[in-house]
Amino acid sequence: ILVYTYVYTHVYTPFYTQVPNSEESYFVDFMREMPEDPETGELLPAPKVYEPVVSLDALREVSHGYLDSFNSSFKLLATHLVFFDDALAHLMRISRIFAMSRGSALLVGVRGRALAAFICTAQLFQITVTRTYNAINLLEDFKPLYRRAGVLGKPTVFLFTDKEIKDEGFLEYVNIFLNTGELPNLFPRDEYDAILGDMAAVYQHIHKGSEPTNEQLWTMFIERVRSNLHLALCFSPVGIKFRRRAQQFP
């Protein structure tokens, strides 16, 4: 990164010098402490302020605090991470992606994605693969995620590893979601009508006094799904499958 300094002479002839920046700058939105509820004493969600990191040591301390909270809350998913500098850089990138609207990630040999979801206060979901798990089961698992992200408007992370791809057709659904956000024939008619009924209240809260059509309600639902449902594809680079999948679904 170069910092350009402009100095003007008395005849206003500009010139500049290139000053190399010796330190990299990092920005995150999870450095603030969690405030305490004055009535109950419970810790409230920390304010999300996107700001520069004072130092990596300060970020490392905050990250350890989040890791301890994560391990206490999710004992079955408890993990132990060494926050060396590159690990912190990856954690910052992944958490930034999950905090963005429509942010999804392809992680190649990277751990810590569950912690990043926890930092972003997003619900983490991962399918449970069985011997009979198929595309129908995958679509059924998508349904509650759609409702949470679309109707409730809450951030959700769908963690999908290459070990869970029992059928290469699973990637077709991933591809469709990333392109359009709408999986074909996901909801039967009765569930579709129920979603429109729920979205009517959401629409009225935002657009008071409006009379939306079913098409407007569904469009709003899909837009909220695309904004709040984040995919995290975690693949190994070992072997030829990764290369073949990357060529098939660029």
Side-chain angles (χ1 to χ4, degrees):
I1 300 176
L2 300 179
V3 178
Y4 293 89
T5 304
Y6 291 87
V7 180
Y8 293 87
T9 67
H10 64 285
V11 292
Y12 303 103
T13 303
F15 67 94
Y16 63 89
T17 58
Q18 298 181 352
V19 181
N21 190 359
S22 59
E23 296 184 0
E24 295 186 16
S25 297
Y26 301 98
F27 288 78
V28 298
D29 65 352
F30 55 87
M31 290 297 294
R32 300 295 177 98
E33 294 183 358
M34 291 183 287
E36 188 176 286
D37 190 318
E39 296 182 358
T40 64
E42 296 180 354
L43 292 178
L44 301 174
K48 295 293 184 181
V49 181
Y50 194 66
E51 57 191 349
V53 175
V54 177
S55 67
L56 285 181
D57 288 336
L59 177 63
R60 189 174 288 109
E61 183 178 352
V62 171
S63 300
H64 275 296
Y66 273 106
L67 181 62
D68 292 340
S69 298
F70 174 80
N71 289 339
S72 299
S73 302
F74 304 97
K75 298 185 183 299
L76 294 179
L77 297 176
T79 184
H80 302 282
L81 301 174
V82 178
F83 291 113
F84 52 92
D85 289 357
D86 285 344
L88 285 174
H90 281 304
L91 180 63
M92 285 187 282
R93 294 186 187 102
I94 299 170
S95 63
R96 187 180 299 116
I97 290 172
F98 291 163
M100 294 172 60
S101 175
R102 300 193 183 189
S104 292
L106 170 61
L107 309 177
V108 183
V110 176
R111 298 184 63 193
R113 58 267 178 177
L115 177 61
F118 178 77
I119 289 175
C120 296
T121 65
Q123 176 178 298
L124 181 69
F125 174 80
Q126 189 171 4
I127 65 177
T128 301
V129 178
T130 62
R131 294 180 60 184
T132 58
Y133 194 92
N134 55 28
I136 296 176
N137 301 123
L138 178 64
L139 293 178
E140 285 297 321
D141 282 336
F142 259 111
K143 285 183 180 182
L145 305 183
Y146 263 63
R147 294 188 67 92
R148 175 181 170 82
V151 176
L152 301 180
K154 294 185 176 180
T156 307
V157 174
F158 185 3
L159 181 63
F160 196 42
T161 71
D162 48 7
K163 295 180 180 179
E164 294 155 0
I165 304 177
K166 291 191 62 179
D167 184 342
E168 290 297 314
F170 288 4
L171 294 177
E172 290 282 357
Y173 292 108
V174 171
N175 189 54
I176 292 172
F177 174 82
L178 292 175
N179 279 289
T180 68
E182 185 172 3
L183 297 178
N185 303 318
L186 180 61
F187 295 102
R189 186 68 197 186
D190 58 332
E191 295 181 23
Y192 173 83
D193 292 338
I195 289 174
L196 293 184
D198 293 335
M199 288 303 300
V202 177
Y203 192 96
Q204 287 293 341
H205 181 72
I206 299 175
H207 308 283
K208 299 185 184 299
S210 300
E211 291 295 335
T213 63
N214 288 346
E215 184 178 353
Q216 288 175 315
L217 292 176
W218 186 254
T219 299
M220 184 181 187
F221 172 71
I222 294 299
E223 286 300 314
R224 285 162 65 92
V225 169
R226 299 188 76 182
S227 296
N228 295 309
L229 180 52
H230 310 280
L231 292 188
L233 306 180
C234 305
F235 290 170
S236 168
V238 179
I240 64 172
K241 286 186 177 181
F242 179 75
R243 183 174 70 249
R244 186 175 68 246
R245 289 166 177 165
Q247 293 171 342
Q248 189 174 2
F249 302 103

